[in-house]
Amino acid sequence: MNEQSSNSQGIHALFEQYGVNLKVDKDQSIFLEGERSEDVFLVKTGTIRISKDTESGKILTLRITGNNTIIGETSIFCEVLYHSVSANAVEPTHLLVLSRSTLEKYLSDDSTLMKEWLQILQVHNLKNETRLRDLLLHGKKGALLSTLIRLTNTYGVKQVDGGILIDRALTNQELANFCATSREVVNRILNDLKKKKVLSLDNGMITIHNLPFLRTEVECDNCPLHICRID
């Protein structure tokens, strides 16, 4: 169980009691950047990609959410009533939908729920802060290496030889979207890391063999594991 789910049992119960079921197919949009924000969503099962369009026309993937995560949260108690990001289903997904006004009412009436909500927002803010820091301070390469570290912390499975398999297949274009760069740049960086035996690739699956190297390259701050994640 991740940090968000362990700190938000009351919030989740609220969605379970008052939320409306919504099932979406793979590649279906949940909401788009710039659309009016009327609802907040709890992902019951499935995977959602949260992304933002850049001025150059590239896509910047901010996170990939899994079970028991909340999306569409940024408009709560905010004068800006429009989504600042887009959300698309990576696979068939089941969500619970709660109207923004309903959630605001229950949060206003219950200080315990409000505290849980603030904890959720704080975790999201810290995750976004570290991702943007890596992109701004270390450029495209640093953003990619940091993404590999976060993928390892989120989906990593320890192997017999000591390597860590990232148990989620990602194309080079999907990796590029985490860095707002091109697939060609990602290809070049990954090939360089393969030559240095930092990682290996097998049918779209990445195994990290030298995690300390990645951490040294990006001057890792040793963030708590519940912050240094891709979700």
Side-chain angles (χ1 to χ4, degrees):
M1 181 178 291
N2 63 36
E3 184 76 8
Q4 178 175 308
S5 60
S6 64
N7 282 343
S8 53
Q9 295 304 304
I11 296 292
H12 288 182
L14 195 64
F15 275 88
E16 294 284 357
Q17 184 172 358
Y18 299 105
V20 176
N21 285 288
L22 174 65
K23 293 186 177 181
V24 297
D25 297 326
K26 179 181 178 181
D27 296 327
Q28 183 176 340
S29 171
I30 314 302
F31 53 79
L32 296 174
E33 183 177 353
E35 285 185 346
R36 187 171 178 84
S37 176
E38 301 288 355
D39 302 303
V40 185
F41 306 81
L42 172 66
V43 181
K44 289 291 294 177
T45 59
T47 308
I48 301 290
R49 181 178 63 252
I50 306 297
S51 61
K52 190 172 183 65
D53 293 330
T54 67
E55 291 184 0
S56 62
K58 292 186 175 67
I59 295 175
L60 175 61
T61 299
L62 298 174
R63 57 189 176 114
I64 297 180
T65 70
N67 298 352
N68 298 315
T69 53
I70 290 173
I71 62 174
E73 74 285 351
T74 55
S75 67
I76 297 300
F77 298 115
C78 181
E79 293 182 1
V80 179
L81 301 181
Y82 297 90
H83 289 293
S84 59
V85 295
S86 297
N88 293 276
V90 177
E91 60 187 15
T93 299
H94 174 206
L95 306 104
L96 292 175
V97 187
L98 197 62
S99 72
R100 179 171 50 81
S101 58
T102 298
L103 181 55
E104 289 179 347
K105 177 185 181 299
Y106 282 102
L107 292 178
S108 298
D109 292 343
D110 190 323
S111 60
T112 300
L113 286 177
M114 180 66 80
K115 181 180 178 181
E116 290 181 6
W117 184 255
L118 292 175
Q119 289 175 329
I120 292 171
L121 292 185
Q122 181 65 6
V123 170
H124 285 184
N125 288 338
L126 288 172
K127 288 179 178 179
N128 287 334
E129 180 183 296
T130 57
R131 290 170 189 141
L132 292 175
R133 176 204 63 197
D134 292 335
L135 181 57
L136 291 173
L137 295 183
H138 302 294
K140 309 295 186 183
K141 180 179 179 180
L144 177 58
L145 300 191
S146 296
T147 296
L148 293 174
I149 294 171
R150 292 187 177 92
L151 287 167
T152 301
N153 291 338
T154 308
Y155 302 111
V157 178
K158 197 70 175 289
Q159 304 298 290
V160 175
D161 63 1
I164 305 174
L165 171 69
I166 297 175
D167 193 21
R168 184 176 187 86
L170 291 166
T171 67
N172 286 1
Q173 184 58 60
E174 288 172 323
L175 289 173
N177 290 345
F178 280 106
C179 317
T181 190
S182 67
R183 180 172 55 85
E184 290 74 19
V185 169
V186 169
N187 290 345
R188 187 163 58 249
I189 296 173
L190 290 180
N191 285 332
D192 181 57
L193 293 173
K194 283 173 58 180
K195 291 176 182 177
K196 294 177 179 177
K197 302 188 184 303
V198 175
L199 57 77
S200 57
L201 302 170
D202 184 16
N203 293 323
M205 305 294 283
I206 300 174
T207 300
I208 304 298
H209 300 291
N210 192 345
L211 188 58
F213 175 87
L214 299 179
R215 288 175 171 165
T216 299
E217 286 290 296
V218 297
E219 301 175 359
C220 182
D221 287 338
N222 294 313
C223 299
L225 289 180
H226 72 276
I227 298 297
C228 189
R229 296 173 59 88
I230 212 67
D231 56 3

